[in-house]
Amino acid sequence: MAEQFQKATFAGGCFWCMVKPFDQWDGIEKVVSGYTGGTVENPSYEQVKTGTTGHYEAVQITYDPKVFPYEKLLEIFWQQIDPTDAGGQFQDRGSNYRAAIFCHNEEQKRLAEATKQQLAESGKFKKPIVTEILPAKPFYPAEDYHQDFYKKNPNAYHEDRAKSGRDTFIASHWGK
């Protein structure tokens, strides 16, 4: 049974805002908030937020590609971020809040690069698409209080998300 599942890893700024868009679909087994891409083994939130570990706040999605293909995950990902911002995402600034796609295999890399090119050619954004496509690195789950934050702390989640400007940006670029 476990063989049917694959992993996808995306960084899109604050990981609290990146769970819910993926968490509500058939074929998604789980979405875990965590840290990846850095040099410190098993970092804490306190270490990552300093920006000195090289880690990104990210989500790792376990999914069934027969039910929910990677292409659909990419479509959702691109619509959650500002792909033209290399300095963080929305109100969250710094290297730990950069957007990136972490590829677990060559097929994911090929699809990620293709969708990035399509987005660049779409004319949807006036600035260049700078979101990085990188090889997957070890993923470290964040502390328990970060997991499913939108479910555990709905008021704080909605307040933070509203303050961030993310939803306004998404609506203006994707009409949602």
Side-chain angles (χ1 to χ4, degrees):
M1 186 76 164
E3 291 177 16
Q4 77 187 37
F5 293 109
Q6 293 184 14
K7 296 208 181 297
T9 306
F10 301 118
C14 175
F15 47 37
W16 293 349
C17 291
M18 293 298 291
V19 174
K20 187 177 180 183
F22 296 102
D23 197 33
Q24 305 177 43
W25 301 94
D26 290 338
I28 304 299
E29 180 70 10
K30 66 181 174 179
V31 182
V32 177
S33 295
Y35 317 110
T36 193
T39 57
V40 175
E41 213 173 296
N42 201 28
S44 69
Y45 176 70
E46 293 302 316
Q47 288 173 301
V48 172
K49 77 178 187 177
T50 67
T52 61
T53 67
H55 287 286
Y56 296 66
E57 282 196 16
V59 292
Q60 189 163 83
I61 303 158
T62 303
Y63 68 102
D64 181 345
K66 292 183 178 130
V67 178
F68 206 91
Y70 188 70
E71 294 90 334
K72 182 71 175 160
L73 292 170
L74 287 167
E75 182 181 324
I76 292 170
F77 168 75
W78 288 117
Q79 293 180 28
Q80 303 309 308
I81 66 165
D82 177 352
T84 69
D85 188 348
Q89 290 292 293
F90 310 104
Q91 74 176 357
D92 298 310
R93 310 311 302 157
S95 62
N96 51 313
Y97 292 117
R98 293 170 292 166
I101 299 168
F102 291 91
C103 301
H104 292 265
N105 57 48
E106 285 302 313
E107 178 68 1
Q108 285 186 356
K109 181 180 177 186
R110 184 186 67 74
L111 292 168
E113 288 175 346
T115 59
K116 181 177 177 177
Q117 184 66 34
Q118 290 167 356
L119 190 58
E121 293 171 356
S122 73
K124 192 171 281 290
F125 297 95
K126 299 199 184 329
K127 296 190 257 176
I129 306 302
V130 297
T131 300
E132 295 181 288
I133 298 171
L134 302 167
K137 298 241 180 164
F139 181 87
Y140 303 99
E143 296 80 355
D144 285 345
Y145 70 93
H146 288 300
Q147 304 304 329
D148 295 319
F149 189 83
Y150 81 96
K151 292 178 185 174
K152 294 177 186 172
N153 300 287
N155 291 339
Y157 167 77
H158 289 295
E159 184 180 306
D160 187 68
R161 191 165 173 113
K163 194 171 46 172
S164 76
R166 186 183 293 261
D167 291 332
T168 302
F169 180 88
I170 290 169
S172 70
H173 286 85
W174 301 99
K176 294 181 180 179

